Amino acid sequence: MSTIKLPALDAAAVAKLAGKSLLTTEDFTTAELDTLLSVASALEALDRAGVKTDFLTSELAYSLFFDQSTRTRSAWAGASSRLGMAPVIVDGKSTQVAHGETPSETGAMLGMNSHAMGVRHDLILGYGRKFIREIKDGIDSYLKATGDERSVPIVNLQCDFDHPTQSLADLMWLKERFGSLKGKKIAVSWAYSPSYAKPLSVPQGLIMLLTRYGANVTLAHPEGYKLLDECTTAAKSHSAESGGSFHVTSSMDEAFAGADVVYPKSWGPMDLMLERVASANDAKAMGEIEKRALERNASHKDWICDERRMATTAGGKALYMHCLPADIGAEVTPGVMAGAVVDVAREANKKLYVIMALLAGSKVKGLAEKLQARAKGQA
Ligand code: CP
């Protein structure tokens, strides 16, 4: 077997990923994120060449989902099984959390029995991030109290604040397409959706991450659809440090004009997302708020990624991105999506390698050396 070419891996930098969890990209330095993506690219190269990286056999990768998922659930299963782990995916509502078991207790119990844990808890502002932090505290306290030296990383598979495996997958795809993001104009835009009031965490994660890489990021949304101040503040600060820019507009046309990349997707109106917080356990009230959110969305049906807007982008051929699923005919026209089907699938596929990199980086000792050995056909 010929040697498979891997991206450069700095063994000392890779070793520093040991024990890390991913709750938000804000917890990582840019250098750590770069290392993580190098590991993800190496794992992808090996996987595409059919080389196994089953470094974590007989370990359990447990995940809890408090919301629907197609891509992230399968990426979790695909990533952990490629590492030799046994993936388990549980509907969060089927656990004793529904009967009031605290996140800390839940974390201790699940961490005791498993070797890594993923959580999606994204529907209510202020809930998911707190829940995932408390899960991590529960596991960490248990491990410390029992002298258990295992690393049990926690991976945020989408909360109300960030969707870090998504934004990192998006960054990996952008780096593959463009190399550097410096000077690239990226439009992160609200778009109309009739389906549901979507979480804010994808656009929040994108503006916080892409501004670290020197991109000129424009965030566009109608009045009333602002994102959390904490995220726009972070985006401003990152863009100042990276030499990029961050700009907010209420015009989708302005965001698209001359853009190299467009990322049009929907999210819920801020006032109604906040109103949901007090009604989270009241299904009737939640249904009524959702109805009002969709009525509000419907007053912005002209916020669609269509052929006219795409024609105004750089060379008329900006890279179209979406975390999926997209509302075709509302967020994006069928024609634009038809031209982007393979690209968005490749974008989505990167999440598998991001999760692999997180789990392997956190748990596998001597990972860089082991990856190089596998690339050379050694065990
Ligand atoms: N983009 C994304 O997270 O997809 P799923 O909701 O299907 O996991």
Side-chain angles (χ1 to χ4, degrees):
M1 175 187 133
S2 58
T3 298
I4 297 155
K5 189 166 166 34
L6 299 186
L9 292 172
D10 174 342
V14 173
K16 286 193 183 139
L17 298 176
K20 283 190 87 71
S21 290
L22 176 68
L23 274 56
T24 166
T25 57
E26 290 293 292
D27 293 340
F28 280 60
T29 65
T30 305
E32 286 169 339
L33 293 174
D34 289 341
T35 302
L36 189 70
L37 289 194
S38 299
V39 172
S41 296
L43 287 162
E44 180 178 6
L46 293 171
D47 187 45
R48 295 206 183 283
V51 176
K52 289 193 172 167
T53 50
D54 48 350
F55 304 127
L56 295 168
T57 51
S58 306
E59 297 213 356
L60 174 61
Y62 197 97
S63 60
L64 277 178
F65 279 78
F66 290 89
D67 192 10
Q68 282 92 335
S69 166
T70 299
R71 279 144 291 274
T72 312
R73 259 201 282 234
S74 60
W76 178 262
S80 50
S81 59
R82 278 168 174 77
L83 291 170
M85 305 176 87
V88 169
I89 296 171
V90 174
D91 176 355
K93 294 186 209 78
S94 74
T95 68
Q96 296 289 13
V97 173
H99 288 153
E101 185 164 32
T102 67
S104 172
E105 282 176 300
T106 306
M109 293 302 113
L110 300 179
M112 179 169 69
N113 295 331
S114 65
H115 302 86
M117 205 173 143
V119 184
R120 170 169 289 192
H121 198 317
D122 61 344
L123 289 175
I124 309 292
L125 273 179
Y127 272 42
R129 176 160 58 152
K130 183 168 177 292
F131 182 89
I132 297 174
R133 278 180 179 157
E134 288 174 20
I135 284 267
K136 178 166 160 41
D137 288 346
I139 293 177
D140 289 350
S141 301
Y142 165 80
L143 295 173
K144 192 169 173 207
T146 58
D148 187 334
E149 291 182 355
R150 282 177 306 132
S151 161
V152 182
I154 310 304
V155 183
N156 174 358
L157 297 174
Q158 189 171 11
C159 72
D160 53 303
F161 177 74
D162 197 359
H163 190 356
T165 62
Q166 180 67 49
S167 60
L168 285 165
D170 293 336
L171 176 61
M172 192 174 167
W173 172 232
L174 282 167
K175 283 181 168 232
E176 184 174 307
R177 288 294 296 247
F178 294 107
S180 167
L181 295 193
K182 275 209 181 303
K184 296 287 179 212
K185 180 176 177 184
I186 302 179
V188 176
S189 177
W190 190 86
Y192 166 59
S193 166
S195 59
Y196 73 108
K198 302 183 183 189
L200 279 51
S201 46
V202 169
Q204 288 177 168
L206 287 169
I207 63 166
M208 289 191 289
L209 183 62
L210 301 181
T211 46
R212 289 200 199 202
Y213 287 87
N216 296 320
V217 177
T218 301
L219 172 68
H221 57 76
E223 198 182 332
Y225 287 80
K226 71 189 282 258
L227 301 178
L228 289 176
D229 290 340
E230 187 179 344
C231 303
T232 47
T233 301
K236 276 181 211 150
S237 156
H238 291 326
S239 63
E241 275 168 33
S242 73
S245 63
F246 177 65
H247 168 63
V248 185
T249 174
S250 57
S251 163
M252 192 175 191
D253 284 344
E254 184 193 327
F256 269 53
D260 300 289
V261 178
V262 294
Y263 204 127
K265 86 164 298 291
S266 199
W267 61 87
M270 177 60 92
D271 62 330
L272 295 180
M273 297 305 261
L274 289 171
E275 205 176 312
R276 287 178 2 163
V277 176
S279 305
N281 298 316
D282 180 343
K284 187 161 173 275
M286 288 291 278
E288 192 272 327
I289 295 169
E290 181 71 6
K291 188 165 163 281
R292 283 194 283 140
L294 294 185
E295 283 165 6
R296 184 89 61 82
N297 283 3
S299 56
H300 304 292
K301 284 187 180 171
D302 53 330
W303 284 66
I304 183 167
C305 176
D306 59 7
E307 286 76 357
R308 178 189 70 77
R309 286 199 168 103
M310 286 302 280
T312 69
T313 64
K317 51 178 189 186
L319 178 67
Y320 170 85
M321 294 179 70
H322 198 291
C323 57
L324 303 178
D327 286 311
I328 299 171
E331 291 179 296
V332 58
T333 60
V336 171
M337 182 51 102
V341 163
V342 175
D343 276 349
V344 289
R346 292 178 68 190
E347 174 190 353
N349 184 231
K350 299 293 183 199
K351 193 180 289 178
L352 184 150
Y353 300 108
V354 166
I355 295 173
M356 278 185 91
L358 278 162
L359 298 180
S362 186
K363 295 180 65 69
V364 178
K365 288 196 175 68
L367 177 63
E369 294 84 350
K370 284 181 177 163
L371 291 171
Q372 294 292 1
R374 293 282 168 117
K376 289 179 191 149
Q378 299 157 0

